[in-house]
Amino acid sequence: MNIQIFGTKKCFDTKKAERFFKERNIKYQLIDLKEKGMSKGEINSILSAVGGLDEVINHDAKDQDTVALIKYIAPEDKIDKLLENQQILKTPIVRNGKQATVGYQPDIWKTWN
C-alpha cells in the first residue's frame, strides 16, 4: 500500500485518519495542504477515483466566495481555481494508488490491500 493523506494539521478527521493507519502499522505520507498543495495530476487522479469535483468540495468551507465561484465558472476553469484555493477541499483525502476517499472512511480503508 502507498497511502497518502491530504489534509491539515488542525483537521480532526485528518488526525483520526492518521491514527487509523498508525494503529494498523500501515505506513502513510501526510501532505499538509497549508504547506504543500496538490498537483494537477494528483487532483485529477483523485477526482476520477471519487466521482468528480462536487465530491471533494467542502460546501461549508469558510471561503464561501470561492465555493460559489467554482459552482458557476466554466468547467475547464474549475480545476485550476480549485488548485489555487485548496482550503475549500473536504479533508482528509486519502489516496492509495488509483483508489481514493474523501472524509473519514475507515470501512473503505479496511478493504484496501
Side-chain angles (χ1 to χ4, degrees):
M1 274 199 283
N2 184 19
I3 302 294
Q4 291 178 304
I5 302 173
F6 296 91
T8 60
K9 291 183 173 124
K10 289 185 177 180
C11 171
F12 289 114
D13 282 345
T14 299
K15 290 177 187 173
K16 289 186 338 191
E18 280 189 271
R19 190 175 325 119
F20 174 90
F21 292 107
K22 227 179 249 175
E23 287 171 354
R24 287 157 182 80
N25 290 322
I26 298 169
K27 288 185 179 170
Y28 64 89
Q29 176 187 14
L30 176 67
I31 295 100
D32 189 332
L33 292 173
K34 284 195 189 312
E35 294 172 14
K36 179 184 182 290
M38 279 189 225
S39 70
K40 195 167 195 169
E42 287 169 329
I43 198 88
N44 283 324
S45 168
I46 289 164
L47 292 177
S48 64
V50 300
L53 196 65
D54 207 46
E55 300 299 317
V56 298
I57 293 178
N58 178 0
H59 295 282
D60 298 325
K62 287 181 187 168
D63 188 354
Q64 282 296 303
D65 292 343
T66 302
V67 172
L69 180 64
I70 285 179
K71 191 186 259 184
Y72 296 109
I73 60 176
E76 61 272 12
D77 297 332
K78 289 184 182 205
I79 290 177
D80 289 336
K81 186 53 78 177
L82 184 63
L83 287 169
E84 292 169 17
N85 299 280
Q86 295 190 21
Q87 73 277 9
I88 66 165
L89 290 169
K90 283 182 199 167
T91 54
I93 295 174
V94 181
R95 189 167 83 157
N96 177 25
K98 296 274 182 217
Q99 299 171 299
T101 59
V102 179
Y104 183 67
Q105 304 279 348
D107 294 338
I108 295 172
W109 302 334
K110 287 176 189 168
T111 66
W112 289 354
N113 295 337

